[in-house]
Amino acid sequence: MPDEPGVDGDLAMHWLVFNVLGFQAVWWACVIGAGKGWPWAGPVAAVLYAAAHLQFSPTRRRDVRLLASALVVGLVLDGSLGASGLLTYAAAGEVRHIAPPWILALWAGFALTLTHSMAALATRPWAAAALGVLGGPLAYASAASVAGAVRFDNGMVEGLVAIAIGWGVAIPLLYGIDKHLAKNEREAIA
């Protein structure tokens, strides 16, 4: 919304605040919910946030594409982390090689920040990778220590290194997918 022509500056700032706070609410609902044995809390928060976000988003089509892409990336990355034995997710059940719904809810909420509050990273792949390398492990370590939503089974260092690599690739990959899909859409219209 901030880049939209004719959008009031105050409205743009409110949109960014909503975007950041909405994702934070999803993160806390997912992590605390999973840690407390309420694995439904995060997905419910993510659905409510996504519905509100998409209702008002000036880039709804793009946001939906990124959300779908992030769910696939999340399934692969977090499924791999679980299957490898590096991580155990709270409320994952018996199926370790599939990311639990609350983790996918986190990916959905995160995807909705990519073209809004984190839009500056879209043209800065090294900054996006750096955010992944630093922010990914920090988020998982916080989820482990604050709520017990994640457990590092083969040592925290090994798990955090794998997360850093995965997220360091995932964020630039999502921006690359977004750019590719947008280009294909423009070409289809032309």
Side-chain angles (χ1 to χ4, degrees), residues 9-189:
D10 285 341
L11 181 60
M13 182 55 67
H14 288 113
W15 176 253
L16 289 178
V17 169
F18 168 75
N19 186 252
V20 170
L21 294 179
F23 173 63
Q24 289 303 307
V26 169
W27 192 89
W28 283 103
C30 287
V31 168
I32 290 175
K36 295 278 187 190
W38 309 321
W40 50 266
V44 167
V47 166
L48 292 173
Y49 170 59
H53 176 95
L54 294 172
Q55 175 69 30
F56 299 105
S57 176
T59 57
R60 185 177 302 132
R61 177 182 225 115
R62 186 177 182 194
D63 291 343
V64 169
R65 281 195 317 254
L66 265 170
L67 195 150
S69 299
L71 289 175
V72 172
V73 171
L75 272 169
V76 171
L77 178 57
D78 279 294
S80 297
L81 290 169
S84 71
L86 290 171
L87 298 179
T88 297
Y89 301 101
E94 298 296 317
V95 186
R96 290 178 60 115
H97 62 281
I98 297 177
W102 69 268
I103 283 285
L104 296 177
L106 281 171
W107 280 94
F110 178 74
L112 297 176
T113 67
L114 292 173
T115 58
H116 300 283
S117 55
M118 295 196 336
L121 296 176
T123 58
R124 296 173 177 89
W126 289 107
L131 175 68
V133 166
L134 298 173
L138 181 61
Y140 285 71
S142 298
S145 66
V146 169
V150 176
R151 189 176 69 236
F152 296 92
D153 293 334
N154 292 332
M156 189 173 215
V157 172
E158 293 87 351
L160 293 176
V161 168
I163 291 165
I165 293 167
W167 275 86
V169 170
I171 297 176
L173 174 65
L174 286 169
Y175 281 118
I177 291 169
D178 178 52
K179 185 177 178 180
H180 176 75
L181 293 175
K183 179 183 173 203
N184 287 350
E185 185 175 285
R186 284 190 304 274
E187 289 173 357
I189 292 172

